[in-house]
Amino acid sequence: MIKILSIGKAVSVTFTALCLISTAQAETLRVEGLYPARAPNVASIESIAIDRFGGSDGTALAFEIEDKLSDVEIEGAAYFKVMAGRSAIEPDATLSGTATTGIEEYETTEKRERCVERDDKGKCEKRKSIKVACLKRVIDFEAQVRLSRFSDGQTIYAERKFDGNEETVCGRKESFTSREDIIRGMINSAAYSVRRDLAPIERRENIRVLESRKGMDKANGKFFKAAVKMTKTDEREACRMWDQAAVNNAPHRSIMFNRGLCAEQAGVLDKALTLYAEAEQLAGSKTEIDLAISRVEDRQRALDDWDIRYASADGNETVATVKAE
């Protein structure tokens, strides 16, 4: 569980399962953290009033966004206070927008396999791909959403969401998917996208360690392989072994990356970035390292946003700590 205990730069991240023992996952470390809202300049917004949504599907989208934002919890606590309609309490911001769906149907032709020859019992003996008359349906969804700061009316977030669906049916045995289900899915998808734009998310994932021993001598390679295997039963010991391997080896990309992953797991993000940057300078594929650096930078931005949101009124800051329980 991710615990954010203090305020501002004094963010404490406690991982109650810092060094997880896993028998189900092999050659991975479980990393969990807080990742930021996708939109900038929204970290300080704590209360949102849902204002008018126009368009044929505006009301449905407003309700869905209200539900999604109300459901946001970080560490088990509601992230937003969401108000619908008028309220005696002034919100930090108001959310408004529009949502419309257009549906078109038109005739077309497509190739389909059809039986062109049957036996005397009616069993198909020959099939052929031929052009047949069909009906195509196109559903287009567009939403515009705007978040305005209540104090001065300034727009701090504005996005357009698009979605579409095309289906073609040919013959009596084929039928369209329910348009209501499709539109409902589009509205749900747009609402969740707004939720991700405006609020952070807690994420837990198993990240694969690097296993290449190329360039290591036989003894060090054997020790490194044992550390990789150790991830199946004791992640903390695997991390300790990689630290030891770093002392006994010349700089090696796999060792550096895996130590960075251990630091990332522990929430020591500056150290993780340093180790990933060192790994990046060594020979080998950069894909895993690029993803890791992006992941850690996102987590750092999430903590900066937390700082903005919950900074103490007098501006005092204490030292950020990372605890392992």
Side-chain angles (χ1 to χ4, degrees):
M1 179 181 291
I2 306 160
K3 291 274 295 179
I4 302 174
L5 301 178
S6 57
I7 295 175
K9 298 293 183 187
V11 174
S12 275
V13 182
T14 300
F15 291 88
T16 59
L18 171 66
C19 301
L20 299 165
I21 296 177
S22 172
T23 56
Q25 294 292 331
E27 292 84 37
T28 64
L29 293 185
R30 188 179 185 189
V31 175
E32 55 183 46
L34 183 69
Y35 294 84
R38 293 189 296 219
N41 308 317
V42 297
S44 62
I45 302 302
E46 297 185 44
S47 57
I48 296 177
I50 307 298
D51 207 343
R52 183 179 179 276
F53 274 66
S56 58
D57 294 289
T59 299
L61 179 61
F63 284 149
E64 197 65 36
I65 291 175
E66 181 182 346
D67 289 344
K68 291 286 191 293
L69 296 183
S70 297
D71 287 343
V72 177
E73 290 188 351
I74 303 298
E75 270 303 291
Y79 187 77
F80 289 122
K81 181 176 182 180
V82 182
M83 297 171 280
R86 297 183 179 275
S87 172
I89 303 173
E90 291 185 356
D92 294 329
T94 59
L95 194 69
S96 60
T98 63
T100 57
T101 302
I103 302 176
E104 288 187 274
E105 292 184 1
Y106 55 90
E107 294 178 351
T108 185
T109 58
E110 287 196 1
K111 285 189 174 182
R112 291 286 194 273
E113 266 205 357
R114 294 290 188 262
C115 182
V116 294
E117 192 175 315
R118 297 181 182 275
D119 61 18
D120 55 1
K121 295 182 179 180
K123 184 178 179 180
C124 184
E125 291 187 326
K126 185 177 180 181
R127 301 182 70 85
K128 187 177 180 181
S129 181
I130 61 174
K131 281 189 174 182
V132 296
C134 305
L135 187 65
K136 175 173 280 191
R137 184 185 70 186
V138 179
I139 301 178
D140 290 313
F141 176 83
E142 179 180 354
Q144 298 185 55
V145 183
R146 177 172 298 177
L147 186 71
S148 303
R149 195 160 47 221
F150 188 84
S151 59
D152 57 10
Q154 182 178 347
T155 298
I156 55 177
Y157 163 81
E159 281 291 325
R160 300 176 73 182
K161 308 292 182 182
F162 298 96
D163 207 343
N165 174 271
E166 289 188 9
E167 284 189 63
T168 302
V169 298
C170 308
R172 289 173 296 177
K173 293 184 179 180
E174 299 180 21
S175 60
F176 289 123
T177 304
S178 163
R179 67 176 64 186
E180 289 79 11
D181 289 345
I182 290 173
I183 295 171
R184 189 180 303 114
M186 291 176 173
I187 291 170
N188 183 72
S189 178
Y192 182 76
S193 182
V194 172
R195 174 258 178 269
R196 278 296 290 121
D197 288 346
L198 300 182
I201 191 168
E202 293 172 306
R203 194 167 75 217
R204 296 163 178 82
E205 54 191 324
N206 294 303
I207 309 296
R208 195 167 188 88
V209 303
L210 296 190
E211 300 180 49
S212 173
R213 292 169 282 157
K214 185 177 180 180
M216 297 181 194
D217 61 39
K218 186 174 181 180
N220 287 322
K222 185 176 181 180
F223 183 80
F224 175 83
K225 183 179 180 180
V228 171
K229 186 177 180 180
M230 186 62 68
T231 62
K232 299 178 182 180
T233 55
D234 191 337
E235 294 182 358
R236 183 189 335 210
E237 177 61 14
C239 289
R240 188 201 65 77
M241 292 174 70
W242 283 318
D243 283 341
Q244 183 178 337
V247 174
N248 298 333
N249 272 278
H252 192 281
R253 174 177 166 272
S254 293
I255 296 174
M256 206 72 71
F257 177 89
N258 292 351
R259 292 180 68 219
L261 190 56
C262 289
E264 183 184 351
Q265 183 195 58
V268 189
L269 302 183
D270 287 341
K271 180 181 178 181
L273 275 183
T274 298
L275 290 166
Y276 286 144
E278 292 177 9
E280 195 173 31
Q281 302 305 311
L282 302 172
S285 171
K286 301 295 189 288
T287 302
E288 301 92 341
I289 299 173
D290 289 342
L291 290 172
I293 290 174
S294 177
R295 198 169 54 240
V296 173
E297 288 177 342
D298 279 349
R299 288 180 63 182
Q300 288 183 321
R301 185 161 72 85
L303 294 182
D304 288 340
D305 286 349
W306 196 270
D307 181 21
I308 292 170
R309 189 178 184 82
Y310 296 113
S312 57
D314 59 8
N316 291 333
E317 297 179 354
T318 56
V319 179
T321 59
V322 177
K323 297 181 180 180
E325 296 182 347

